[in-house]
Amino acid sequence: MGRLNNRNIAVLAANGFEESELTSPVARLKEEGATVHIVSLETGKIQGMKHDKEWTVEISVDQTVKTAHPEDYQGLLIPGGVLNPDSLRKNDDALNFVKAFFKAGKPVAAICHGPQVLISAEVVEGRKLTSTKTIKIDLVNAGALWEDSEVVVDQGLVTSRSPADLPAFNDKIVEEFAEGVHDGQHA
């Protein structure tokens, strides 16, 4: 406990996030001492889904992407779900928020469909990562070096395939967020 004391982590999410891909990493980050803020497109609450089939928990939004400042955070987490990244990737403020973390060399973590946001932010070319197999071709076409692994780390960029990979994903995000800025993380 305490590896992330004095670290602020932003979780970029919208309606339709995969419940476990937000709640499990957030719980782990808080256990390690991080302050976690939910950043979304609008104020109020966002609702999660379980396996893209049923609506589940509602989570309060702490900041909108219009009002959040990337410089206030030491890391960024993007959960998956089918609807969540689809909403985020259409929003210029969300994409600029993501790009700012890469430009500053800060660690970014995305799981399952979350890397779709990274494609639209144009930050995956030449980077090693993984995702759910359904978006593999999208990542490859965007220039990513995709591999089918539980978790992939590339200079502060952490990715995983699905909720089944959450234990390994959570361990790696703690490690990368604790390390801080990575010179190889770039936009």
Side-chain angles (χ1 to χ4, degrees), residues 76-94:
L76 174 64
L77 168 66
I78 305 170
V82 174
L83 299 177
N84 174 54
D86 197 49
S87 294
L88 295 171
R89 69 191 306 199
K90 296 183 283 190
N91 184 285
D92 288 337
D93 292 322

Side-chain angles (χ1 to χ4, degrees), residues 116-137:
Q116 288 179 310
V117 179
L118 305 180
I119 292 169
S120 295
E122 300 178 336
V123 294
V124 299
E125 188 172 354
R127 302 300 297 272
K128 292 187 294 184
L129 50 87
T130 193
S131 67
T132 180
K133 287 183 181 180
T134 59
I135 66 166
K136 171 187 175 182
I137 193 70

Side-chain angles (χ1 to χ4, degrees), residues 1-71:
M1 181 155 169
R3 291 181 66 194
L4 298 177
N5 287 341
N6 303 315
R7 294 258 200 286
N8 296 321
I9 307 299
V11 178
L12 183 60
N15 279 316
F17 63 87
E18 177 64 35
E19 178 185 345
S20 63
E21 294 173 358
L22 184 146
T23 59
S24 174
V26 165
R28 178 66 186 280
L29 293 169
K30 287 180 176 181
E31 284 172 15
E32 294 288 345
T35 299
V36 179
H37 291 155
I38 304 299
V39 178
S40 193
L41 305 176
E42 297 177 11
T43 60
K45 294 184 184 253
I46 54 175
Q47 192 167 16
M49 293 190 88
K50 187 172 185 178
H51 309 300
D52 300 313
K53 293 180 180 156
E54 63 183 85
W55 292 100
T56 60
V57 298
E58 286 190 331
I59 304 285
S60 294
V61 172
D62 297 302
Q63 295 261 358
T64 67
V65 289
K66 284 186 184 280
T67 62
H69 301 285
E71 60 271 14

